[in-house]
Amino acid sequence: MKLATEVPWQDRRFTIPLERIRRCEWFGFDAVFTAEGVGNDGLTPLGYLAAVTERLSLGTHIATVTARPPTVLAQALGTIDAMAGGGRVIAGVGGGFPSSCEGWHGRPWGRPVRRMRDYVDVLRQVFRTAGSYAADGEVIETTELFAESTRARLGSTVHCQSTEISIPYAGEGALGVRPWVSALERGPEPPVVLAAVGPQMIALAAEIADGWFPWGFAPGMMPTFEPLLAAGFERAPGKRREDFDIWALVDLVVSDDVRAGLDRFRPYVVEWAEQMRLQTEALGFAGLCDRLIELTGAGRYDEALAAVPDEFVDQVFLVGSHTRIAQRLTAWFESGATGLIFRYGPQVQIGRHADLVEDLDVWETIACAAHRL
């Protein structure tokens, strides 16, 4: 079981929990991830973390695909990996939501599954073709790549023409230029991990990626997801299930008052009810999301909070004393996930939790439960 932590993405004043991250590295954690929404981006903090950590893998969870072309993301990850010494980057990508795609990135929602397939293909092309060389192996200097005649000598290039991605651009008004490659020297190819919620995207993750970020995952859900993953593996002959990572998020709060701790996470369940239907049904709570959507739509938000069952919250989040958390981690270790990404506190309505102070000792508790110490 791999262990990771994540930099908060939802804070209005962005900070990096450096003491936590250093503790996690000391306690034998494997990775640290960054995220991005409509506040901080996910790449800038990775550059900082490359300088203040020594061995943790550095991953995006996730870089949104409509925020930047795949070539630009690959360029950024290659730069960060070079600064970190090489072989430390995890390329975590996700499709985002229509609200971020059209409302923030100014892109049409289009066909997100098709776009993801093409995006990952281009990422891998950039990783494989890094280093600018002519067909005969001659090194092509970085500045020479601006010349069309020089790029004509490239032994390999990046190319994708589909309804979602056009590299080089071939649409209306295209000048017909030749494609570029990354001039950075080729290093270890970063694993690509997909965030996927719907059935088609989950199957696509199994088919084309090295791992999957499930959303709203909890112990007991894997039987629902296994057929979707199996469908993807069937389309990728030779791919082995044991080589595929499943990085599950685990949000936690240390609290001697378990009920009060559970209450902190009810808003998350209510506010993401529309997107978490598959997950709630996988745990046997059929109809819960529809009920929550109905109540919030009628303006009965407090009733919606009260309608979230304690047992559901307790299964999806980690709440309690250090001893209780250590005991309940056993189910997560046996959940079918291969990696757990721990975050502290609720990920919505941050202003309502001004009293919440992170318990820094819990990271040692997790490491001990995982037999890292």
Side-chain angles (χ1 to χ4, degrees):
M1 175 64 68
K2 298 176 182 178
L3 303 178
T5 189
E6 184 172 294
V7 174
W9 61 270
Q10 77 281 21
D11 293 350
R12 296 182 67 85
R13 177 170 292 181
F14 179 72
T15 58
I16 291 179
L18 188 55
E19 185 175 355
R20 179 215 298 175
I21 292 167
R22 283 177 168 158
R23 286 190 182 211
C24 287
E25 186 166 44
W26 177 259
F27 293 145
F29 278 53
D30 301 282
V32 57
F33 289 92
T34 60
E36 60 185 10
V38 292
N40 62 280
D41 76 297
L43 293 173
T44 306
L46 280 190
Y48 175 82
L49 290 171
V52 297
T53 60
E54 296 181 359
R55 60 161 194 82
L56 287 172
S57 292
L58 309 170
T60 50
H61 179 241
I62 47 87
T64 312
V65 299
T66 54
R68 51 185 75 80
T71 47
V72 175
L73 177 60
Q75 185 178 18
L77 292 175
T79 304
I80 293 167
D81 204 31
M83 292 191 297
R88 290 179 61 190
V89 163
I90 298 173
V93 295
F97 304 96
S99 59
S100 59
C101 176
E102 297 193 1
W104 188 238
H105 303 146
R107 296 280 307 278
W109 184 234
R111 301 170 61 193
V113 176
R114 173 75 256 181
R115 178 165 58 239
M116 183 63 76
R117 179 182 292 277
D118 295 337
Y119 198 98
V120 172
D121 177 56
V122 173
L123 273 181
R124 294 199 188 280
Q125 286 187 56
V126 176
F127 296 149
R128 289 195 303 265
T129 63
S132 46
Y133 297 93
D136 61 4
E138 178 190 356
V139 175
I140 296 178
E141 295 299 328
T142 303
T143 53
E144 295 179 321
L145 288 173
F146 288 91
E148 289 284 309
S149 58
T150 301
R151 296 204 302 281
R153 296 165 37 219
L154 286 169
S156 58
T157 58
V158 175
H159 187 274
C160 180
Q161 295 296 331
S162 75
T163 57
E164 295 295 327
I165 296 176
S166 179
I167 298 176
Y169 176 67
E172 182 178 355
L175 300 177
V177 300
R178 296 179 181 273
W180 283 21
V181 294
S182 172
L184 288 173
E185 285 294 337
R186 186 181 306 123
E189 184 170 331
V192 177
V193 183
L194 263 61
V197 178
Q200 291 185 62
M201 197 71 85
I202 293 171
L204 183 69
E207 178 188 355
I208 68 172
D210 302 300
W212 170 43
F213 292 124
W215 188 30
F217 183 85
M221 289 187 182
M222 276 307 297
T224 296
F225 296 128
E226 283 291 4
L228 303 176
L229 295 171
F233 290 129
E234 287 177 4
R235 299 197 296 260
K239 192 170 188 177
R240 303 192 310 165
R241 174 71 169 79
E242 54 265 36
D243 296 330
F244 187 79
D245 277 326
I246 298 176
W247 285 100
L249 282 171
V250 190
D251 291 326
L252 65 96
V253 157
V254 176
S255 174
D256 291 328
D257 185 341
V258 174
R259 180 58 187 266
L262 296 177
D263 286 345
R264 290 185 183 272
F265 290 104
R266 296 183 200 280
Y268 185 99
V269 181
V270 171
E271 295 185 20
W272 292 106
E274 181 66 42
Q275 292 79 16
M276 291 182 64
R277 184 175 282 103
L278 180 63
Q279 288 76 6
T280 55
E281 292 178 355
L283 291 182
F285 293 87
L288 174 60
C289 288
D290 290 331
R291 178 60 175 158
L292 298 179
I293 293 168
E294 176 188 353
L295 289 171
T296 53
R300 296 153 62 186
Y301 186 76
D302 288 340
E303 289 184 54
L305 293 177
V308 179
D310 288 357
E311 56 268 31
F312 177 79
V313 183
D314 206 18
Q315 192 164 351
V316 176
F317 304 99
L318 271 181
V319 175
S321 64
H322 284 251
T323 300
R324 188 175 194 269
I325 285 174
Q327 292 170 343
R328 297 186 69 81
L329 273 170
T330 300
W332 286 92
F333 294 152
E334 298 173 352
S335 66
T338 65
L340 300 177
I341 306 171
F342 293 93
R343 305 187 297 192
Y344 199 89
Q347 302 299 303
V348 294
Q349 298 188 341
I350 302 305
R352 291 192 179 185
H353 304 280
D355 62 320
L356 184 63
V357 177
E358 181 172 330
D359 185 315
L360 289 171
D361 294 329
V362 73
W363 309 104
E364 184 175 5
T365 297
I366 294 168
C368 289
H371 305 293
R372 295 298 179 92
L373 295 175

